[in-house]
Amino acid sequence: MGTFLRIEPDAATDGAVATVRLLRPRISGTDPRVPEELTAAAERLDADPAVRAVVLYGGRRVFGSGADVKDLAERSPAEVDAYTGRLHTALDALARIGKPVVAAITGYALGGGLELALCADLRVAGEGAVLGLPEIELGVIPGTGGTQRLPRLIGAGPAKRLILTGARLTAAEALRIGLVDETVPDPEVYEAALRTARRFAAGPTAALAAAKRAVDDGLDLPLGAGLDLERRQFTALFATEDQRIGMRAQLDGTRPAFLGR
């Protein structure tokens, strides 16, 4: 339990799914507890072998909002640089959790809130959600991943349109451009995200981690190096028990019961 977040284990999976529950909507700002707690949570979840999938959830009304303008307005460039550096470290740690991460988006996901959601592998949004990067309206730009993670997800053109105009998107609009992967009625967002996470938690843990690493790391590599990375990840999985379980089940015509090892 922290000031900004807490980690909640999912009783239905004996803790194989963990929820990072955001207790305060502000993601950006200069409160050092925000990056400290996010980094600590990401490192803990990544290192815990019992956790096999993660949900990011802000509550029924707000997933995460943008900068505290009153706090930031008079900060010096050096102060802002120091803080955003810590927040970059925190969001990178979340994005690099070696397990599937699902964001459950309700209400507003604006500015730093959307940048946090972009660290997830999949995003489930309520039909009433509003998403955007409105920093341009403050005379600045997204500073904690928005200009980099968003174009990698939806393409440079659509990302520039959102960033340059500061437009807010409805959940339906976000779904059409691939910013979110699923929309559901607002009261069902968290349960929908849990269902997806539980499906991942029952899957082949090492293969899911390898797939995530191959895609994420491969995006930053030339094609040849990316293909080599893929081959190494593929080959290494033949030392796992889940590979043997999965292939044997395919040959036997049964459903695999993966063990996560």
Side-chain angles (χ1 to χ4, degrees):
M1 180 74 175
T3 301
F4 178 71
L5 61 83
R6 66 172 176 254
I7 296 175
E8 301 173 347
D10 174 35
T13 60
D14 294 324
V17 174
T19 295
V20 177
R21 173 72 162 84
L22 308 176
L23 303 176
R24 297 188 181 187
R26 294 287 185 195
I27 307 298
S28 301
T30 56
D31 188 334
R33 292 171 297 184
V34 175
E36 288 169 4
E37 291 184 18
L38 285 171
T39 301
E43 292 176 348
R44 171 181 163 185
L45 294 170
D46 189 42
D48 188 347
V51 175
R52 296 169 64 173
V54 176
V55 173
L56 301 178
Y57 180 53
R60 293 185 176 184
R61 294 187 177 182
V62 179
F63 176 78
S65 59
D68 183 340
V69 178
K70 183 178 179 180
D71 184 40
L72 282 175
E74 302 304 322
R75 296 288 179 173
S76 70
E79 289 175 311
V80 172
D81 183 64
Y83 179 79
T84 54
R86 292 193 294 270
L87 198 51
H88 266 282
T89 297
L91 296 189
D92 282 345
L94 283 167
R96 288 193 165 275
I97 292 174
K99 301 150 190 189
V101 178
V102 183
I105 302 172
T106 52
Y108 291 103
L110 298 173
L114 181 54
E115 288 173 310
L116 176 64
L118 290 170
C119 294
D121 301 298
L122 296 175
R123 281 152 292 279
V124 179
E127 292 172 347
V130 178
L131 304 91
L133 295 171
E135 288 88 346
I136 203 74
E137 297 171 358
L138 302 175
V140 295
I141 65 172
T144 48
T147 67
Q148 301 305 304
R149 290 192 174 96
L150 185 62
R152 283 168 167 78
L153 178 65
I154 65 172
K160 283 182 179 180
R161 182 177 67 83
L162 290 179
I163 293 167
L164 296 178
T165 64
R168 277 78 161 170
L169 299 181
T170 65
E173 291 169 333
L175 181 65
R176 280 198 294 272
I177 65 172
L179 177 52
V180 301
D181 302 280
E182 180 183 2
T183 60
V184 298
D186 291 337
E188 300 175 17
V189 172
Y190 183 54
E191 285 301 320
L194 273 180
R195 282 196 302 272
T196 299
R198 287 167 179 163
R199 186 161 63 247
F200 287 135
T205 303
L208 289 166
K212 180 171 176 173
R213 177 171 295 179
V215 172
D216 289 349
D217 291 356
L219 286 171
D220 296 324
L221 297 172
L223 177 59
L227 291 171
D228 187 55
L229 168 65
E230 178 189 73
R231 178 180 56 81
R232 293 196 307 271
Q233 295 292 326
F234 174 74
T235 301
L237 292 171
F238 281 78
T240 66
E241 193 167 351
D242 279 346
Q243 172 267 324
R244 292 188 288 275
I245 290 170
M247 291 193 173
R248 176 52 57 189
Q250 177 72 20
L251 293 171
D252 294 343
T254 59
R255 291 179 61 86
F258 294 114
L259 300 176
R261 56 179 185 262

